Amino acid sequence: VCIAGDGCVCPISTNDEDSETGSGDGALPDYVVDLIEKEIGGDLKSLKKVSSLLEKLTAENKLLEEQVLTVSSSVPLRVSAALSAAEESRVSLEGLLQRERVLSNTLIQHLQGAQPWADSLGRTLEQLDNTEKHMKYLQCVSRIEELSDSIQQCLMTNSIWEAVVAVGSMASLDVGLKQSGCSHLQAFLRDTLHFWHKIIKDRLAGDFEELLIQLHWPFISPPTQSLSPPANAQELHSQLELLVAQLLSLQTSYPSPQYRLPPTTPLSLPVQIMLLPLSKRFRYHFTGNRQTNSLNKPEWFLTQVLMWMANSSNFMEEKIQPILDRNGANVNAKVELCRGLLTLAQEKLVSDAPRLLYDDALFCHLVDEILQFERELRTTHSYPSTLPGALHVLLDEVVLQKWLTVERKMAIEKVDAMLSAEGAWSSQYKDISDMDELKAPDCAETFMTLLLVITDRYRALPCPRAQLRFLALQRELVDDFRIRLTQVMKEESRNPLGARYCAILNAANYISTVLGDWGDNVFFLQLQQSAVALGEEELLGPLGVTESGRLASLEGSLFEGLLGLLERLRGDMLGRLLEAVMRDVQKKNDTNVYPCPPRWLSLPSQCDQATMSLSSLACPLMQCLRDHLLQLQQMLCLPLFQMGWQDLAERLDLFLYQNVILYNHFNEGGAAQLQFDMTRNLFPLFGHYCKRPENFFKHVKEACVILCLNVGSALLLRDVLRQAEEDEEEPGTPEGQQPSPVTALNELGVYRLAPCDVLILLNLRASWPGK
């Protein structure tokens, strides 16, 4: 609607097109129409509100006009004020810039005038710095000379402690000059320090050596317990404590690099002096042309070192260690002496090892003696595992590679010898039932013992990478032995039921079992972690992320590949053995057809027989099975026999089901005889090895259930199965009217046979009504 000027109401168009075109075609905007609709509506009686609405809108229009006029008049004033402020800021900025230029010019002129004064002052300060450095330099020289004179005076008056303290002060001065850059001053100081340190050390060492002689050091043979101590024992002990304390103080004040034994910390200075007579004896006997210096007798010098350690142990613990503790020396006297003696042995081994690389026998003897020496050192003498021992000599690349080569060569030779031995395939524990569970032949047990000996030899090596190289050798030897087993197996495959064939099978199982146990061993698990961390591709092969993750999380094993190959060999051999048994069984069955087809239809029913007995034609088959089971039980280890008889039972189950049951028709008496032969004769043959042997003959057992059903139950079952077949052919048939065939079979105890197989068995029944 629209309100005209005369108050009349007329309709107007309010569609979108009219709204968009505006008022050019006489239409009002939509918001005006919405306002009228809201205030007046479509009721004609509300037209009286028009006048009030008009007045309201007029007032609002007037107010808006006043506001617009007010704003329009105030804007020019604000703009003018802003422009005035900007002009004032510009004038002020120009004034500041002008002042800055004046001050800058003044400052430049001042600096130019003061530059000569500054240059002169700089030269003066530099002269003062040089003078100060010269003074400090001269002070250092004077301090060095003062300390040197003081040390000389102390030595002349035999004041050793004061001399040691002065040496300590001189050493502190040397430390302070390290960052000075005064190379000549440092060289002078160190020469002086070395000079006085050597003099004091030589004097103390001479006194200490004389005292050690009085104490009967060194102990070449085991010390004997004297009945009464010497008269001057207390005096000797006091001198010992004084000299050891002075030597420790001298070493602490200036630990000279000449006593350092890389890569460990330096030996204690008293122990170094105590080692001198032992070192002389060692070099006298084990160097040069002495008869005791023999390449083929490394045990001579190694045993001598161990004897010296043992002979000196009590003296070091009872006499020297308390003095070291009282002087705050954080060292173990016994370990210190062992370190020094071990250094003599290491130097000798490093010298001798390269000369034995071309003689395998002597080299192997050397390795054996080093391993024995290391065990004695770590166990008997409690040498710390954190310190290097004699085994580090074997980690040299040339020596280690020679060791690996010799181990491989000797292992292969031993394998050749053990496989060609007369009793290689017989068990040495065959007459002891408690120890012969795995029935491992002598060659397999000897081979795994060989691998275990190799493990014991390299287990103590301090380098994981070297240990992994020996592990790779072991894996190579295992694979080589597996190939040899395969070759012998192929030669014996013509007689898979023979004793040697079964011995090979037991050998493969024994090696697989031992390797499986090794995979869970802590030592090999640590090697596995090391192999993953070091990325040993030679040992692990090209692994993906998943395989590396499995090994790192200890889910896999370093022997997985070998275990897979051995498992495959074991499975193939066991399969061939069982095939031979089945061929023998089938041969017996073909010779004496169990029972011939007409017999199943002519047997009397069970109620017509006084007692049932085993079918005469089944006796050879049962006897053959019994003999083979006893034979396998005697020749195979228990795990293999368990797998073997279970697999044999399943093969026999299918054979009887397919070649006896499905091949014949049965009357009531024939079905009963079949069930009697199976449940009372066949199943008990396997009852010696499990409680429910019928579970391994599911086809035969369930076939006997179907064949022995009474006529009524058989008819109902046949109807259910036939109806199910018809329902499958006609998908539109409603379900639920007949029980499902699977449910019906399960109620009878039939779970393995399918409904179609059961229908075939029902058709083999000859006793149907009307027949």
Side-chain angles (χ1 to χ4, degrees):
V1 295
C2 179
I3 304 174
D6 55 359
C8 296
V9 179
C10 62
I12 64 173
S13 172
T14 60
N15 57 37
D16 293 341
E17 294 180 358
D18 294 339
S19 299
E20 293 176 0
T21 55
S23 59
D25 56 356
L28 292 176
D30 288 343
Y31 66 88
V32 177
V33 176
D34 294 338
L35 178 62
I36 295 173
E37 289 290 339
K38 179 180 178 182
E39 298 292 337
I40 300 176
D43 190 1
L44 295 178
K45 295 181 180 181
S46 300
L47 292 177
K48 59 184 179 180
K49 299 180 182 180
V50 171
S51 58
S52 60
L53 177 61
L54 185 59
E55 292 176 358
K56 178 182 177 182
L57 293 175
T58 303
E60 291 179 356
N61 187 43
K62 183 176 181 181
L63 180 61
L64 292 173
E65 289 178 354
E66 291 176 355
Q67 291 178 353
V68 170
L69 290 175
T70 302
V71 171
S72 300
S73 60
S74 61
V75 166
L77 296 177
R78 293 179 181 177
V79 172
S80 176
L83 292 174
S84 299
E87 182 65 22
E88 291 176 359
S89 298
R90 185 187 64 78
V91 173
S92 176
L93 179 61
E94 289 181 353
L96 291 174
L97 291 174
Q98 181 62 30
R99 292 177 61 189
E100 186 272 336
R101 285 192 292 270
V102 173
L103 289 175
S104 177
N105 294 332
T106 303
L107 180 59
I108 291 173
Q109 293 175 1
H110 178 74
L111 291 175
Q112 290 176 351
Q115 186 63 39
W117 294 92
D119 295 340
S120 176
L121 182 61
R123 288 190 293 270
T124 303
L125 292 175
E126 184 177 358
Q127 292 175 358
L128 290 175
D129 288 340
N130 291 332
T131 302
E132 184 179 7
K133 290 179 181 179
H134 291 157
M135 290 181 63
K136 288 183 177 181
Y137 194 95
L138 293 175
Q139 288 175 359
C140 287
V141 174
S142 175
R143 178 62 176 164
I144 294 171
E145 292 178 349
E146 179 184 347
L147 290 173
S148 182
D149 294 340
S150 175
I151 294 171
Q152 184 178 11
Q153 187 67 28
C154 291
L155 292 177
M156 292 175 63
T157 59
N158 204 26
S159 301
I160 302 298
W161 273 117
E162 288 78 1
V164 171
V165 172
V167 169
S169 300
M170 193 177 293
S172 300
L173 183 60
D174 178 49
V175 173
L177 289 176
K178 283 185 178 180
Q179 305 297 329
S180 66
C182 300
S183 58
H184 296 290
L185 181 61
Q186 282 183 285
F188 170 71
L189 174 58
R190 288 179 181 176
D191 290 342
T192 305
L193 188 57
H194 278 292
F195 173 78
W196 289 118
H197 189 276
K198 184 178 184 304
I199 290 177
I200 297 175
K201 174 183 170 295
D202 290 344
R203 176 176 292 190
L204 291 176
D207 296 342
F208 192 47
E209 288 174 357
E210 292 179 0
L211 178 61
L212 290 175
I213 293 174
Q214 298 182 51
L215 294 173
H216 308 291
W217 178 269
F219 301 109
I220 305 304
S221 58
T224 57
Q225 191 72 24
S226 59
L227 298 178
S228 60
N232 60 342
Q234 187 63 36
E235 180 184 355
L236 294 177
H237 182 72
S238 300
Q239 293 180 10
L240 178 65
E241 181 155 4
L242 176 62
L243 287 172
V244 170
Q246 290 175 342
L247 288 170
L248 289 174
S249 179
L250 179 64
Q251 185 177 22
T252 305
S253 65
Y254 186 70
S256 176
Q258 62 181 337
Y259 302 114
R260 185 169 297 277
L261 292 175
T264 58
T265 55
L267 281 174
S268 174
L269 189 53
V271 176
Q272 293 182 38
I273 298 173
M274 296 175 71
L275 282 170
L276 290 177
L278 294 174
S279 177
K280 290 179 181 178
R281 287 178 175 271
F282 186 89
R283 290 184 170 84
Y284 175 82
H285 289 290
F286 304 115
T287 58
N289 298 323
R290 299 288 175 182
Q291 291 183 352
T292 49
N293 182 29
S294 176
L295 283 176
N296 59 353
K297 296 292 182 180
E299 63 270 23
W300 285 354
F301 70 85
L302 293 175
T303 303
Q304 183 64 72
V305 168
L306 292 174
M307 288 178 58
W308 286 343
M309 291 180 182
N311 297 339
S312 308
S313 176
N314 290 336
F315 181 81
M316 299 302 292
E317 291 179 345
E318 296 174 3
K319 301 297 183 181
I320 304 299
Q321 187 63 51
I323 301 175
L324 296 179
D325 295 339
R326 284 192 290 270
N327 285 272
N330 188 24
V331 293
N332 186 304
K334 178 182 174 181
V335 173
E336 287 287 280
L337 182 68
C338 291
R339 283 178 56 205
L341 292 174
L342 181 61
T343 302
L344 298 176
Q346 288 174 335
E347 293 173 354
K348 176 66 175 172
L349 289 172
V350 170
S351 173
D352 289 352
R355 302 164 62 187
L356 300 176
L357 294 178
Y358 302 101
D359 192 319
D360 292 349
L362 292 181
F363 182 82
C364 290
H365 181 59
L366 175 66
V367 172
D368 290 337
E369 291 300 327
I370 291 176
L371 294 174
Q372 181 63 28
F373 175 82
E374 185 75 14
R375 280 191 291 268
E376 289 285 333
L377 184 66
R378 302 294 181 181
T379 56
T380 305
H381 300 282
S382 303
Y383 195 68
S385 59
T386 55
L387 297 177
L391 289 180
H392 285 71
V393 177
L394 299 177
L395 295 180
D396 180 77
E397 178 59 30
V398 177
V399 177
L400 182 61
Q401 185 59 47
K402 177 63 178 180
W403 185 8
L404 288 166
T405 303
V406 172
E407 287 283 3
R408 180 185 293 104
K409 176 184 176 182
M410 298 187 67
I412 292 176
E413 291 176 354
K414 291 179 180 179
V415 170
D416 292 337
M418 71 177 67
L419 288 178
S420 59
E422 183 178 354
W425 301 107
S426 61
S427 174
Q428 57 181 326
Y429 306 112
K430 59 183 177 181
D431 298 328
I432 308 175
S433 58
D434 295 340
M435 299 181 62
D436 200 30
E437 182 178 348
L438 292 177
K439 291 184 172 61
D442 188 58
C443 62
E445 192 165 359
T446 305
F447 174 71
M448 295 311 295
T449 303
L450 172 64
L451 293 185
L452 185 61
V453 170
I454 294 176
T455 303
D456 292 338
R457 289 160 68 86
Y458 77 80
R459 182 191 294 269
L461 286 177
C463 176
R465 194 178 294 275
Q467 291 177 330
L468 289 172
R469 293 175 68 176
F470 278 94
L471 179 59
L473 171 62
Q474 288 179 305
R475 286 161 49 100
E476 178 185 339
L477 293 175
V478 171
D479 194 48
D480 177 73
F481 194 79
R482 178 192 63 83
I483 295 173
R484 292 169 182 260
L485 289 180
T486 305
Q487 293 171 348
V488 180
M489 179 269 293
K490 291 180 179 179
E491 296 175 0
E492 298 294 326
S493 59
R494 298 177 183 177
N495 183 22
L497 296 176
R500 176 170 289 194
Y501 187 91
C502 293
I504 298 170
L505 182 54
N506 287 331
N509 180 76
Y510 175 73
I511 296 174
S512 178
T513 303
V514 175
L515 290 182
D517 294 339
W518 285 6
D520 297 328
N521 185 275
V522 175
F523 173 70
F524 288 104
L525 289 176
Q526 292 173 345
L527 283 185
Q528 180 173 323
Q529 292 281 29
S530 300
V532 175
L534 296 174
E536 287 287 341
E537 292 189 2
E538 180 180 354
L539 185 66
L540 301 176
L543 294 180
V545 178
T546 305
E547 290 80 359
S548 298
R550 287 182 65 252
L551 289 177
S553 61
L554 303 182
E555 293 181 9
S557 167
L558 292 176
F559 303 103
E560 272 188 347
L562 293 173
L563 289 174
L565 294 173
L566 289 170
E567 179 66 27
R568 180 179 176 183
L569 174 62
R570 185 176 62 180
D572 292 344
M573 293 188 66
L574 188 59
R576 293 186 182 186
L577 188 148
L578 296 179
E579 287 174 2
V581 174
M582 287 303 300
R583 283 196 302 268
D584 201 5
V585 170
Q586 292 174 11
K587 182 179 179 181
K588 295 292 184 182
N589 186 64
D590 293 341
T591 304
N592 303 280
V593 178
Y594 169 61
C596 55
R599 179 175 172 82
W600 295 115
L601 295 172
S602 60
L603 290 173
S605 63
Q606 186 174 2
C607 59
D608 295 336
Q609 301 182 49
T611 57
M612 296 192 68
S613 61
L614 176 64
S615 300
S616 59
L617 295 177
C619 290
L621 185 145
M622 298 298 176
Q623 185 178 2
C624 178
L625 278 175
R626 183 201 64 183
D627 294 342
H628 282 306
L629 286 173
L630 291 176
Q631 181 187 11
L632 295 180
Q633 188 178 17
Q634 292 174 357
M635 294 192 302
L636 294 180
C637 64
L638 182 59
L640 284 177
F641 178 68
Q642 290 286 349
M643 290 188 293
W645 75 255
Q646 292 175 14
D647 194 356
L648 178 62
E650 293 177 357
R651 291 170 183 246
L652 190 60
D653 178 45
L654 289 176
F655 169 74
L656 292 174
Y657 177 71
Q658 296 173 355
N659 295 276
V660 175
I661 297 176
L662 295 181
Y663 191 70
N664 294 284
H665 287 77
F666 300 85
N667 65 356
E668 182 180 350
Q673 182 65 48
L674 175 67
Q675 187 177 36
F676 181 83
D677 291 346
M678 298 296 105
T679 59
R680 300 295 296 276
N681 293 277
L682 176 63
F683 296 172
L685 286 178
F686 294 86
H688 298 288
Y689 319 119
C690 66
K691 293 181 179 180
R692 300 182 63 85
E694 62 273 11
N695 290 337
F696 296 94
F697 295 88
K698 293 183 178 180
H699 290 89
V700 171
K701 182 185 73 170
E702 294 178 2
C704 289
V705 170
I706 298 301
L707 293 175
C708 292
L709 283 176
N710 59 54
V711 177
S713 299
L715 288 172
L716 290 175
L717 180 60
R718 185 176 65 176
D719 292 341
V720 170
L721 297 178
R722 286 179 177 177
Q723 184 62 42
E725 283 188 348
E726 294 175 0
D727 292 344
E728 290 181 359
E729 296 175 358
E730 299 178 7
T733 303
E735 298 180 358
Q737 297 178 359
Q738 295 286 341
S740 68
V742 175
T743 303
L745 293 176
N746 291 347
E747 290 177 355
L748 296 174
V750 177
Y751 298 94
R752 173 63 62 87
L753 297 177
C756 59
D757 297 329
V758 175
L759 272 176
I760 295 173
L761 291 172
L762 289 174
N763 292 330
L764 297 178
R765 290 170 60 101
S767 55
W768 290 108
K771 287 189 177 181

